[in-house]
C-alpha cells in the first residue's frame, strides 16, 4: 500500500491550480516545448483475450488495426457505460478531455465557449469511439457526429445508449476504420482519436488516415500516454497491478508515443500541433485536471495546413 501511495503521488505530478491551466505550445521544429497560459479548469481500459473478435468478410482493410487490442476491448464492450467498471478511468477523465476540446475548438472555429451548442453546423468524427462516451457529449454540444470503431460490439452498445436520448440519437455509428472512411472520401471539420493511438499497429499510418479525414484548416485532437518511466510506473505498474484500476495487460509501454514523436508523425502528414496539455490525477479528490505536465497522460490539438493535398 505504501508503494501504491508513492506511485499515486507521482501520478499526480506537480501541483496545479484549478483556475489556471498551462497549455503546452509546440512550434514547427518541436525542439523546445513552450508554455502559454489559458484560463480554464478540469485511463484507460480493459481485459485481454487470446482469440481475436469475429471478422466480417466484408470488413475494411486493417492497415493500422491490432487484432489483439481489438479482442481486449470486445471482451468488455458491455461495460462501456458502467461508470464503476473497467472503463471507470475514462469516465473520470472525460470532463477534463471535454474541457480541453471545448476550449481549443471554440477558439479554432471562432465559436462562443459559453454557448450551450457551440459546435452547431460542424461535422466531427470520433475514431475509436468505443461505447460513445465522447461522441455523445460532442453531439450535445451541437456537432454532427460520426462515431467509428472496429469492434462491432462497441458500436452496438453505442447505438443502444444513444437511442435512449432523442437529442443524440442522430449520431451515426459505424463499425469501420479510419482507413475505410478515407477510401470513401469522407471529410470532417474535426477528427478525434482519444486514447486510441497506443492501441493501433501502425501509428504513422493511423495518423495519415486522420489527416486525410480532416478538411484543410480543420482540427485534429489526439490524447494518449507518454512513453516515459513515470508513465510506466503509474499507468501500468500502479494502475494495472497495484491499484487494479485497469485489467492487467491493458497497455504496452513500448506502444506509447512521446509528445515529440506524436508531433513529428503528425507534421509529416501536414498536421501542425498547436497546443498540448497534460492530465494529472489527484488521489485525494479523485479528480483529473489539465496541467503543463505531459509526462504521463497528454492531449494534443492540431490543425491541418490549408494548402495540404494528401
Amino acid at each position: 500500500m505504501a508503494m501504491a501511495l508513492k506511485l499515486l503521488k507521482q501520478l499526480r505530478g506537480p501541483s496545479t491550480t484549478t483556475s489556471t491551466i498551462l497549455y503546452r505550445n509546440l512550434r514547427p521544429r518541436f525542439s523546445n516545448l513552450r508554455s502559454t497560459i489559458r484560463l480554464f479548469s478540469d485511463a484507460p481500459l480493459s481485459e485481454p483475450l487470446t482469440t481475436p473478435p469475429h471478422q466480417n468478410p466484408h470488413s475494411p482493410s486493417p492497415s493500422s488495426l491490432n487484432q489483439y487490442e481489438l479482442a481486449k476491448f470486445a471482451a468488455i464492450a458491455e461495460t462501456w457505460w458502467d461508470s464503476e467498471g473497467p472503463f471507470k478511468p475514462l469516465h473520470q477523465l472525460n470532463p477534463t478531455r471535454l474541457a480541453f476540446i471545448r476550449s481549443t475548438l471554440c477558439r479554432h472555429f471562432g465559436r462562443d465557449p459559453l454557448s450551450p451548442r457551440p459546435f452547431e453546423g460542424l461535422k466531427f468524427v470520433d475514431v475509436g469511439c468505443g461505447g460513445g462516451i465522447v461522441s455523445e457529449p460532442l453531439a450535445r454540444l451541437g456537432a454532427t457526429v460520426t462515431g467509428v470503431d472496429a469492434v462491432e460490439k462497441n458500436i452496438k452498445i453505442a447505438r443502444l445508449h444513444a437511442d435512449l436520448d432523442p437529442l443524440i440519437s442522430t449520431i451515426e455509428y459505424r463499425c469501420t476504420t479510419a482507413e475505410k472512411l478515407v477510401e470513401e472520401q469522407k471529410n470532417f471539420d474535426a477528427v478525434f482519436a482519444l486514447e486510441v493511438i497506443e492501441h493501433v499497429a501502425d501509428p504513422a499510418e493511423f495518423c495519415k488516415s486522420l489527416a486525410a479525414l480532416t478538411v484543410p484548416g480543420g482540427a485534429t485532437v489526439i490524447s494518449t500516454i507518454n512513453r516515459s518511466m513515470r508513465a510506466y510506473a503509474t499507468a501500468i505498474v500502479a494502475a494495472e497491478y497495484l491499484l487494479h484500476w485497469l485489467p492487467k495487460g491493458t497497455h504496452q509501454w513500448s506502444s506509447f508515443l512521446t509528445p515529440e514523436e506524436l508531433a513529428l508523425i503528425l507534421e509529416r502528414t501536414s498536421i501542425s500541433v498547436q497546443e498540448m496539455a497534460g492530465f494529472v490525477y489527484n488521489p485525494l479528490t479523485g479528480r483529473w485536471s489539465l496541467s503543463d505536465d505531459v509526462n504521463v497522460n497528454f492531449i494534443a490539438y492540431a490543425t491541418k495546413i490549408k494548402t495540404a493535398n494528401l
Side-chain angles (χ1 to χ4, degrees), residues 64-85:
S64 70
L65 298 183
N66 183 322
Q67 297 300 324
Y68 176 70
E69 295 292 330
L70 295 182
K72 289 195 298 187
F73 292 101
I76 55 171
E78 291 84 356
T79 66
W80 265 107
W81 288 97
D82 179 1
S83 60
E84 295 298 320

Side-chain angles (χ1 to χ4, degrees), residues 132-185:
I133 66 174
V134 173
S135 297
E136 289 196 7
L138 291 177
R140 290 192 179 93
L141 290 172
T144 299
V145 178
T146 299
V148 301
D149 200 288
V151 177
E152 187 174 1
K153 290 171 69 176
N154 286 346
I155 292 299
K156 289 180 178 179
I157 293 296
R159 285 173 179 159
L160 286 171
H161 196 270
D163 286 343
L164 299 175
D165 184 349
L167 186 63
I168 57 174
S169 61
T170 56
I171 298 174
E172 181 185 6
Y173 284 116
R174 297 181 56 186
C175 183
T176 187
T177 64
E179 289 84 0
K180 183 61 177 178
L181 292 182
V182 172
E183 291 176 10
E184 297 173 6
Q185 299 184 337

Side-chain angles (χ1 to χ4, degrees), residues 179-198:
E179 289 84 0
K180 183 61 177 178
L181 292 182
V182 172
E183 291 176 10
E184 297 173 6
Q185 299 184 337
K186 299 291 187 180
N187 291 114
F188 301 89
D189 298 298
V191 176
F192 302 87
L194 308 184
E195 275 63 54
V196 174
I197 196 168
E198 66 270 25

Side-chain angles (χ1 to χ4, degrees), residues 39-80:
L39 295 179
F40 217 86
S41 173
D42 243 351
L45 326 179
S46 42
E47 192 153 287
L49 268 189
T50 56
T51 305
H54 173 71
Q55 296 295 308
N56 187 304
H58 302 292
S59 61
S61 174
S63 58
S64 70
L65 298 183
N66 183 322
Q67 297 300 324
Y68 176 70
E69 295 292 330
L70 295 182
K72 289 195 298 187
F73 292 101
I76 55 171
E78 291 84 356
T79 66
W80 265 107

Side-chain angles (χ1 to χ4, degrees), residues 11-22 40-42 96 230 278-282 287-294:
L11 177 61
R12 183 178 181 183
S15 60
T16 57
T17 63
T18 58
S19 60
T20 302
I21 299 303
L22 296 174
F40 217 86
S41 173
D42 243 351
T96 314
R230 202 168 103 201
F279 297 126
V280 294
Y281 180 74
N282 187 331
R287 293 174 62 87
W288 292 83
S289 61
L290 289 168
S291 167
D292 64 342
D293 177 12
V294 296

Side-chain angles (χ1 to χ4, degrees), residues 26-30 108 187-193 197 203-222 259-276 300-310:
L26 298 182
R27 296 307 177 197
R29 295 320 310 164
F30 310 107
H108 178 84
N187 291 114
F188 301 89
D189 298 298
V191 176
F192 302 87
I197 196 168
E205 187 67 26
F206 181 67
C207 286
K208 184 178 179 180
S209 296
L210 298 183
L213 292 174
T214 309
V215 298
T220 304
V221 180
I222 298 175
E260 294 84 358
E261 288 170 342
L262 177 61
L264 287 171
I265 289 173
L266 289 171
E267 184 184 29
R268 294 188 184 108
T269 67
S270 298
I271 298 289
S272 175
V273 173
Q274 304 298 312
E275 295 180 11
M276 274 189 183
Y301 147 66
T303 58
K304 184 172 180 177
I305 300 172
K306 289 187 177 181
T307 57
N309 184 22
L310 298 179

